[in-house]
């Protein structure tokens, strides 16, 4: 067929989808939350470990989804666990997606208001963003995937360039002593580093959209490997550039790192500007992933067209972004999301996988 | 617990904003859908429009037929009835033709002269008595030395042909009419296309005559695979349209899609290929063109060889190419004629230029009004100093200059050639300088507006330049409302639109996304020709390899 009518995405697109969903507010919030939990420069080890853990979790999800090609979690959950349980599972996942979408949106609004648009009312930032994302969603998963494919490489490129330029103030001694306080703080840091990977749950509906579901593992591993590397670099460069104490004092350490040195001879003297531009675009793709996940879930759960669902979700996402009142509330929501990400893994893919194993292998049922 | 919920329960203002978010979005959605469907309603099934043409046989009786023709055609002042008698046999005969459309010397020499002279008749004297089909056959085979000759049996068909410029011959005793002369098209010489001039490359452009244009395509070289399929479009006045493709390369599904869409065209008259474009495009609300128009035969041939389809219409030098992708609008045939290094650099320049043409005014507004702190301090101070006398906000300031430059451009097209450059100097230099002196705009703005205008002309497709020029006004509004954030939103908006847009089923942003790395060697980078072994993967061609 010349024109594609099916909504299938390629393996590359699936990887980028997963990367974009993970790579979001974390770039800005990660260093502070991890460092305040562990209080040592060794936290980059935590990222490595948690990255591996998360990839393993995602592989379980991918394996599970592979058993039901062309189906999303919202559809195959009832095959495994029965209708009522599946409904609860899907609802939990949907609430989770709406919550993350709201959180990312709120972080975006806070950062934009702080660095770019002082005095602008917050609704003026959030509402156009929701509209724009909704407009894109009407194009279906293919249009979204194509947009992510355009934005993602640019983001990664600019991120790498800005980090490399920050080598100017990089001091390896800030990262020392290596394991000076033993492994325990690294374990403490794990908790908050798992948080930044929250959102990879979209794997559970993404695999159903893949053209070659047999390559799901590959997509998941590269899709999570890239953000894990970026987070690792973020942490190393921020701590190496600013030192642990400075990170603890600042609200947005990554931006402070870029503000703390000047590059002469370029059009922009400070790199925070290109960084913020790219980050806003990355936040758009990040937000769109969750918005799409939530819309898709509702439309498949109650079997309606996705169009009205996209429109109907707008107020809920707006409310979810506006509920936190102070910036501490926002970080609390962030922590809650990370915590629920782990809990969701414990109560959704893992039991489903086990039930599936028991029913198909043990009881020889056809699921 | 309860207190916390109460504390965090959003107040009524936020509820109102949330509801308003949805209601406005629903409103826009419904209006968009309504307008879109309203535009789509124009394509109806052409099957309903059956061929309801009257038919009437030519009687074979000279008097009756001539009378019928006279009744129907004589109201046209330009239809000539030249009656005469043939040589020896002395039958009455009439030549009917429209003034100015036939090749007069050919008719005089090969038809009138032959028929009226005695010589030819006498040599085969026994045929003087022959009647009916034998007589016609004798005329066709032995007497009339013209290459194109055909019989017409239907009266209305005959009248139609006469009015199209064919010359009809009626002789007493002949059962049917003969069409003996083709209309002689008004041909202009194949000049260099004015809208797509090249430094290096063929200096040939299409003309207004379809036959000439198809011949130009054929002349590119010997092949049996180039198919030029003739279709008629238009209800009231029919016109010939040629669908050109390589039958061993083109994807059959794509070909069928194009043919179906052309068959669905329902309009009384197709004046220019722009009509065709607007009938068969995918999204008529999009500011981006979904078919490429070109005056260059080499461009069409190159497109055909990469699996695309050309559409040529009689009466216009502009051919259409479908499907089109965004990157094609920034490519020029010259890229392939020059060596790869300059071509690659020029392409990179054009992508940059497209970005400039779209974003410069928006960036100016957001930097000046919202974030002067983001540009180097010395520059910011200079700009602010020069802007001190300007009484307007930066949006108005930009609008004044941008709109006047659009007026200047529009006026420049209409002006006769000798005045054009003078007008440019008056408008561009004097008004620009005076505006700065008068304190209406700042000098930095003049630079950025001039840069934008020049950038939009550096885009090889004129119509693509128009699109970017329209969109930059939208960008200015976004920037004026939300500064840099608005500019980013605008950029994302354009990206979202482009990723949703398709041209005949091909995503508009291919091969940038979805990634088709094999096509990237002809994107910004123009790889050396020997390396381009394969046709574009996005076209899903039958024959993938360019080389054997």
């Amino acid at each position: 067929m010349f024109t594609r009518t099916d909504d299938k995405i390629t393996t590359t697109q699936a990887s980028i989808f997963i990367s974009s969903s993970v790579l979001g507010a974390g770039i800005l919030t990660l260093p502070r939350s991890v460092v305040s939990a562990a209080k040592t420069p060794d936290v980059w080890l935590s990222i490595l470990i948690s990255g591996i853990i998360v990839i393993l979790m995602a592989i379980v999800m991918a394996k599970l989804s592979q058993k039901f090609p062309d189906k999303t979690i919202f559809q195959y959950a009832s095959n495994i666990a029965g209708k009522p349980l599946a409904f609860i599972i899907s609802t939990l996942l949907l609430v989770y997606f709406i919550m993350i979408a709201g959180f990312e949106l709120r972080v975006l609004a806070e950062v934009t208001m702080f660095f770019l648009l002082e005095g602008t009312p917050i609704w003026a930032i959030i509402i156009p963003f929701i509209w724009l994302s909704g407009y894109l969603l009407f194009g279906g998963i293919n249009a979204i995937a194509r947009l992510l494919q355009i934005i993602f490489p640019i983001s990664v490129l600019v991120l790498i360039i800005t980090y490399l330029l920050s080598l100017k103030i990089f001091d390896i001694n800030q990262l020392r002593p290596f394991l000076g306080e033993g492994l325990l703080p690294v374990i403490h840091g794990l908790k908050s580093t798992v948080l930044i990977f929250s959102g990879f749950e979209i794997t559970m509906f993404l695999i159903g959209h893949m053209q070659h579901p047999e390559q799901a593992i590959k997509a998941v591993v590269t899709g999570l490997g890239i953000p894990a590397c970026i987070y690792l670099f973020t942490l190393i460069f921020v701590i190496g550039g600013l030192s642990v104490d400075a990170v603890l004092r600042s609200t947005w350490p990554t931006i402070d790192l870029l503000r703390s040195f000047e590059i002469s001879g370029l059009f922009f003297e400070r790199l925070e500007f290109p960084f913020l531009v790219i980050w806003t675009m990355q936040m758009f793709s990040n937000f769109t992933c969750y918005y799409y996940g939530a819309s898709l879930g509702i439309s498949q759960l109650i079997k309606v067209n996705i169009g009205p669902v996209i429109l109907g979700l707008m107020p809920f996402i707006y409310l979810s972004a506006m509920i936190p009142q102070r910036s501490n509330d926002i970080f609390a929501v962030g922590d809650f999301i990370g915590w629920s990400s782990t809990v969701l893994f414990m109560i959704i893919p893992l039991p489903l996988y086990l039930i599936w194993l028991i029913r198909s292998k043990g009881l020889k049922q056809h699921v | 617990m309860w207190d916390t919920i109460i504390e965090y329960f959003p107040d009524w203002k936020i509820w109102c904003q949330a509801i308003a978010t949805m209601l406005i979005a629903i409103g826009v959605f419904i209006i968009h859908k309504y307008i879109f469907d309203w535009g789509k309603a124009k394509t109806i099934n052409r099957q309903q429009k059956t061929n309801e043409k009257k038919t009437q046989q030519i009687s074979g009786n000279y008097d009756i037929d001539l009378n019928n023709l006279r009744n129907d055609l004589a109201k046209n002042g330009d239809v000539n009835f030249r009656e005469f008698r043939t040589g020896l046999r002395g039958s009455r005969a009439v030549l009917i033709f429209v003034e100015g459309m036939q090749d007069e010397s050919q008719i005089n020499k090969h038809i009138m002269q032959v028929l009226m002279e005695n010589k030819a008749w006498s040599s085969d004297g026994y045929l003087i008595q022959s009647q009916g089909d034998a007589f016609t056959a004798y005329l066709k085979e032995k007497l009339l030395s013209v290459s194109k000759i055909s019989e017409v049996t239907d009266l209305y068909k005959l009248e139609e042909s006469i009015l199209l410029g064919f010359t009809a011959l009626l002789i007493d005793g002949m059962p049917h009419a003969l069409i003996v002369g083709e209309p002689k098209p008004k041909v202009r010489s194949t000049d260099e296309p004015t809208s797509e001039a090249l430094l290096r490359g063929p200096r040939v452009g299409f003309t207004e005559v379809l036959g000439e244009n198809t011949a130009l395509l054929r002349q590119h070289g010997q092949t049996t695979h180039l198919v030029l399929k003739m279709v008629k479009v238009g209800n009231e006045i029919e016109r010939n349209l040629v669908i050109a493709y390589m039958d061993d390369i083109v994807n059959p599904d794509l070909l069928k899609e194009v043919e179906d869409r052309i068959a669905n065209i329902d309009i009384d008259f197709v004046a220019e290929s722009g009509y065709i474009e607007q009938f068969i495009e995918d999204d008529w609300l999009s500011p981006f063109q979904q078919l490429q128009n070109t005056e260059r035969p080499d461009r069409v041939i190159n497109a055909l060889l990469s699996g695309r389809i050309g559409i040529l219409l009689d009466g216009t030098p502009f051919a259409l190419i479908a499907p089109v992708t965004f990157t094609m609008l920034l490519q020029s045939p010259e890229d392939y004629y020059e060596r790869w290094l300059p071509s690659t650099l020029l392409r990179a320049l054009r992508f940059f230029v497209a970005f400039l043409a779209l974003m410069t005014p928006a960036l100016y507004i957001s930097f000046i009004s919202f974030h002067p702190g983001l540009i180097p301090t010395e520059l910011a101070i200079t700009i602010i100093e020069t802007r001190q006398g300007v009484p307007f906000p930066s949006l108005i300031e930009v609008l004044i200059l941008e709109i006047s430059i659009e007026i200047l451009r529009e006026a420049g097209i209409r002006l006769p050639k000798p005045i054009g450059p003078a007008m440019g100097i008056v408008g561009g230099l004097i008004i620009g300088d005076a505006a700065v002196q008068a304190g209406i705009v700042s000098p930095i703005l003049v630079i950025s507006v001039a840069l934008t205008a020049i950038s939009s002309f550096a885009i090889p497709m004129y119509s693509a330049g128009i699109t970017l020029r329209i969109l930059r006004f939208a960008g200015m509004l976004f920037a004026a409302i939300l500064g840099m954030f608005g500019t980013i939103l605008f950029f994302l908006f354009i990206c979202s639109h482009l990723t949703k847009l398709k041209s005949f089923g091909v995503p508009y942003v291919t091969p940038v996304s979805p990634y088709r790395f094999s096509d990237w060697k002809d994107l910004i980078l123009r790889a050396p020709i020997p390396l381009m072994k394969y046709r574009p993967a996005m076209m899903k061609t039958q024959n993938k390899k360019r080389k054997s």
Side-chain angles (χ1 to χ4, degrees):
Chain A
M1 276 301 288
F2 189 75
T3 43
R4 303 189 79 135
T5 44
D6 57 345
D7 44 357
K8 293 286 180 211
I9 56 174
T10 64
T11 313
T12 324
Q13 283 178 331
S15 317
I16 288 181
F17 221 106
I18 297 172
S19 295
S20 301
S21 73
V22 172
L23 207 61
I27 302 177
L28 297 192
T29 57
L30 161 78
R32 198 180 78 110
S33 63
V34 183
V35 171
S36 61
K39 300 209 173 53
T40 70
D42 299 327
V43 279
W44 56 271
L45 268 179
S46 320
I47 287 275
L48 270 187
I49 299 170
S50 62
I52 291 165
I53 295 175
V54 166
I55 288 177
L56 290 178
M57 283 156 83
I59 286 177
V60 173
M61 294 176 183
K63 281 268 179 207
L64 178 67
S65 304
Q66 271 181 331
K67 314 288 181 221
F68 303 92
D70 301 334
K71 280 190 173 177
T72 66
I73 174 91
F74 309 108
Q75 291 165 324
Y76 66 66
S78 59
N79 286 18
I80 302 177
K83 275 226 163 103
L85 209 56
F87 189 80
I88 296 171
I89 288 175
S90 306
T91 316
L92 277 179
L93 209 56
L94 289 174
V95 171
Y96 174 72
F97 281 148
I98 294 176
M99 217 162 62
I100 300 196
F103 168 72
E104 304 279 351
L105 208 50
R106 183 61 185 267
V107 173
L108 170 91
E110 292 294 331
V111 172
T112 309
M113 275 168 27
F114 191 73
F115 291 104
L116 287 178
L117 291 171
E118 281 165 53
T120 308
I122 187 164
W123 57 263
I125 294 170
I126 293 187
I127 293 179
F129 214 72
I130 299 181
W131 283 340
L132 189 55
S133 187
Y135 172 73
L136 177 61
L137 288 196
F138 274 100
I141 191 165
N142 273 310
I144 302 171
R146 284 199 288 272
L147 185 78
L148 301 189
Q149 271 186 314
I150 294 177
I151 293 179
F152 187 73
I154 307 177
S155 312
V156 173
L157 191 74
V158 173
L159 276 181
I160 291 175
I161 291 176
T162 46
Y163 287 164
L164 285 182
L165 287 174
S166 82
L167 277 176
K168 239 177 135 176
I169 56 167
F170 184 82
D171 180 4
I172 191 76
N173 287 324
Q174 317 261 32
L175 285 166
R176 284 177 185 160
F178 179 62
L179 289 182
E181 295 167 44
L183 266 176
L184 202 63
V186 175
I187 308 294
H188 279 295
L190 270 189
K191 202 190 76 182
S192 50
T193 46
V194 173
L195 315 187
I196 53 158
F197 289 100
S198 53
F200 69 98
E201 284 81 2
I202 66 154
T203 311
M204 287 188 280
F205 72 77
L206 204 62
I207 307 296
H209 278 301
M210 278 181 71
Q211 198 177 4
H212 304 287
E214 64 275 8
Q215 295 175 349
I217 306 291
K218 191 177 137 197
V220 165
V221 173
T222 48
L224 285 171
I226 296 172
C229 290
I230 291 174
Y231 281 140
L232 180 69
F233 283 122
T234 308
L235 211 51
I236 291 178
F237 280 105
V238 170
I239 296 177
L242 289 180
S243 86
V244 172
D245 297 332
V247 169
L248 280 174
R249 279 196 303 273
S250 109
T251 320
W252 312 106
T254 315
I255 297 183
D256 283 341
L257 169 77
L258 299 176
R259 281 160 82 95
S260 56
F261 63 94
E262 287 193 355
I263 303 280
S264 50
L266 285 183
F267 186 71
F268 310 106
E269 286 184 331
R270 289 197 314 260
L271 286 168
E272 105 226 29
F273 171 66
F275 177 82
L276 277 176
V277 169
I278 287 307
W279 183 74
T280 310
M281 283 167 45
Q282 187 55 38
M283 285 303 273
F284 178 75
S285 39
N286 186 258
F287 169 71
T288 304
C289 291
Y290 302 122
Y291 191 2
Y292 179 71
S295 319
L296 183 81
I298 293 179
S299 80
Q300 289 185 343
L301 203 60
I302 58 177
K303 297 196 172 56
V304 288
N305 276 338
I306 198 164
V309 178
I310 294 170
L311 294 169
L313 262 181
M314 284 177 179
F316 294 99
I317 288 178
Y318 182 71
L319 287 176
S320 139
M322 295 302 283
I323 282 176
Q325 288 175 353
R326 291 166 292 271
S327 65
N328 276 346
D329 297 342
I330 302 170
F331 291 118
V333 170
D335 288 345
F336 177 72
I337 286 171
W339 172 81
S340 41
S341 163
T342 324
V343 173
L344 276 181
F345 174 74
M346 294 301 172
I347 62 172
I348 298 177
L350 209 56
L352 283 182
Y353 194 66
L354 293 178
I355 297 174
W356 179 84
L357 271 184
I358 294 166
R359 283 184 63 183
S360 64
K361 298 278 157 63
L363 305 175
K364 304 277 181 224
Q365 284 173 344
H366 182 73
V367 185
Chain B
M1 174 70 188
W2 188 244
D3 287 343
T4 336
I5 292 178
I6 294 288
E7 192 197 332
Y8 282 96
F9 194 77
D11 62 3
W12 62 271
K13 237 161 100 187
I14 290 177
W15 284 99
C16 288
Q17 285 161 359
I19 301 296
T21 312
M22 180 176 71
L23 289 183
I24 294 174
I26 291 177
V28 171
F29 174 74
I30 289 173
I31 292 172
H32 175 268
K33 195 171 153 48
Y34 180 77
I35 296 178
F36 191 81
D37 291 346
W38 174 66
K40 274 282 151 186
K42 65 199 171 183
T43 54
I44 54 153
N45 199 345
R46 212 186 180 205
Q47 258 71 54
Q48 295 163 356
K49 204 192 68 176
T50 45
N51 225 338
E52 286 164 7
K53 276 184 189 152
K54 294 183 289 181
T55 53
Q56 187 187 335
Q57 287 290 313
I58 291 174
S59 65
N61 184 320
Y62 179 78
D63 288 314
I64 295 175
D65 288 334
L66 183 60
N67 226 353
N68 281 338
L69 284 173
R70 266 191 205 280
N71 282 342
D72 290 345
L73 298 179
K75 55 183 178 268
N76 295 307
D78 57 346
V79 177
N80 283 339
F81 291 81
R82 168 72 167 89
E83 291 183 70
F84 58 96
R85 274 180 186 275
T86 55
L88 267 185
R89 185 163 151 170
S91 328
R92 284 175 300 161
V94 62
L95 269 174
I96 312 161
F97 55 88
V98 175
E99 189 75 46
M101 285 180 84
Q102 79 302 106
D103 184 352
E104 201 137 331
S105 70
Q106 191 196 13
I107 289 177
N108 288 346
K109 208 169 168 188
H110 298 288
I111 298 163
M112 297 276 292
Q113 198 179 1
V114 175
L115 287 175
M116 291 170 84
E117 261 178 14
N118 298 335
K119 206 169 58 191
W121 295 93
S122 56
S123 65
D124 257 334
Y126 71 97
L127 268 167
I128 296 172
Q129 278 81 35
S130 72
Q131 291 293 320
D133 290 332
F135 181 51
T136 319
Y138 175 72
L139 282 177
K140 272 166 77 174
E141 286 161 18
K142 293 224 146 169
L143 220 48
L144 301 175
S145 53
V146 285
S147 62
K148 290 200 174 171
I149 191 162
S150 60
E151 272 178 73
V152 178
T153 57
D154 184 70
L155 185 70
Y156 293 107
K157 182 104 192 298
L158 178 67
E159 287 172 3
E160 202 180 284
S161 307
I162 293 170
L163 290 176
L164 272 176
F166 291 90
T167 307
L169 172 67
L170 226 63
I171 303 181
D172 196 1
M174 199 170 63
H176 307 306
L178 278 180
I179 298 285
V180 289
E182 282 230 310
K184 189 180 168 194
K186 301 283 171 267
V187 189
R188 74 173 159 92
S189 60
T190 50
D191 297 327
E192 183 169 16
T194 43
S195 68
E196 288 165 280
L198 290 187
L199 279 176
R200 180 172 180 180
R203 301 244 183 274
V204 175
F206 285 131
T207 62
E208 280 77 7
V209 184
L210 185 63
E212 293 271 314
N213 295 347
T214 50
L216 281 177
L217 287 184
R218 291 259 184 233
Q219 274 166 19
H220 270 87
Q222 294 174 350
T223 172
T224 49
H225 293 296
L226 173 62
V227 179
L228 300 169
K229 200 175 204 170
M230 188 88 77
V231 198
K232 286 201 187 300
V233 286
N235 303 340
E236 187 71 31
I237 302 180
E238 282 192 333
R239 257 194 168 170
N240 286 332
L241 179 145
V242 162
I243 304 175
Y245 56 92
M246 304 294 293
D247 64 356
D248 61 334
I249 297 174
V250 74
N251 184 303
D253 290 326
L254 171 68
L255 180 64
K256 189 165 179 308
E257 179 70 30
V258 172
E259 282 175 346
D260 284 352
R261 289 195 196 183
I262 287 176
N264 265 328
I265 292 174
D266 181 33
I267 194 173
D268 53 354
F269 175 54
V270 182
E272 214 268 345
S273 56
Y275 278 49
I276 307 281
E277 179 179 354
Q278 291 169 64
F279 265 107
I280 66 178
E281 66 191 357
D282 291 61
D283 182 355
W284 68 283
L285 283 174
S286 169
F288 291 91
Q289 55 180 351
Q290 292 136 56
L291 284 103
Q292 191 175 28
N293 56 67
T294 178
E295 285 186 82
R296 303 194 65 91
D298 53 335
R299 201 168 207 160
V300 175
I301 279 288
N302 271 327
L304 298 189
L305 281 169
S306 53
R308 296 190 168 83
I309 292 175
I311 300 166
L312 287 81
L313 183 72
D314 196 15
T316 172
F318 284 94
L320 299 174
I321 296 171
V324 63
T325 56
F326 182 71
T327 51
M328 275 170 74
L329 305 178
L330 299 178
Q331 293 169 354
S332 156
E334 206 171 14
D335 296 348
Y336 301 96
Y337 306 148
E338 277 295 343
R339 298 186 60 251
W340 72 274
L341 190 60
S343 306
T344 303
L345 293 174
L346 277 177
R347 276 192 182 175
L349 184 72
R350 283 193 215 116
F351 276 83
F352 179 62
V353 146
F355 179 80
L356 277 187
L358 189 62
M359 303 299 278
T360 315
L363 288 174
Y364 175 82
I365 292 176
S366 48
F367 279 133
I368 298 302
S369 323
F370 290 85
H371 325 288
L374 290 175
I375 41 184
T377 326
E378 291 87 352
L379 183 61
I381 291 171
T382 323
I383 293 176
I384 288 164
E385 269 174 5
T386 53
R387 272 202 89 235
Q388 261 174 0
V390 179
F392 309 112
S394 58
L395 174 68
I396 304 292
E397 186 195 359
V398 177
L399 276 180
I400 289 174
L401 215 54
E402 287 285 359
I403 289 176
S404 29
I405 215 154
E406 288 297 313
I407 296 172
L408 206 65
R409 188 194 56 81
E410 185 64 18
I413 297 174
R414 315 271 165 255
L415 281 175
K417 267 197 184 126
I419 313 177
M423 178 73 184
I425 294 167
V426 173
L429 290 180
I430 299 179
I431 294 184
D433 193 45
V436 173
Q437 299 281 327
I440 301 175
V441 296
S442 72
I444 302 278
L445 177 66
V446 176
I447 298 175
S448 73
V449 167
L451 191 67
T452 317
I454 295 169
S455 299
S456 74
F457 293 125
I459 292 165
M461 293 295 306
Y462 179 69
S463 38
I466 297 178
T467 307
L468 295 182
R469 286 214 308 275
I470 298 169
L471 286 175
R472 75 167 193 261
F473 283 96
M476 286 187 253
L477 288 180
F478 272 83
I481 296 168
L482 282 172
M484 201 60 222
F485 183 71
T487 311
I488 299 169
L489 279 189
F490 170 68
F491 184 73
L492 286 172
F493 186 45
I494 300 284
C495 284
S496 303
H497 177 73
L498 284 176
T499 52
K500 286 171 76 171
L501 192 62
K502 282 184 173 188
S503 165
F504 291 87
V506 177
Y508 206 60
V509 282
T510 0
V512 181
S513 151
Y515 297 156
R516 291 186 189 283
F517 291 111
S518 59
D519 291 357
W520 279 28
K521 57 183 179 293
D522 193 13
L523 179 67
I524 296 179
L525 172 76
R526 204 281 282 155
I529 299 276
L531 289 184
M532 293 211 241
K533 290 177 194 158
Y534 298 95
R535 302 182 201 287
M538 60 176 140
M539 300 309 303
K540 298 179 186 162
T541 48
Q542 298 173 34
N543 180 352
K544 304 226 181 298
K545 274 191 157 179
R546 280 184 191 271
K547 306 208 288 187
S548 57

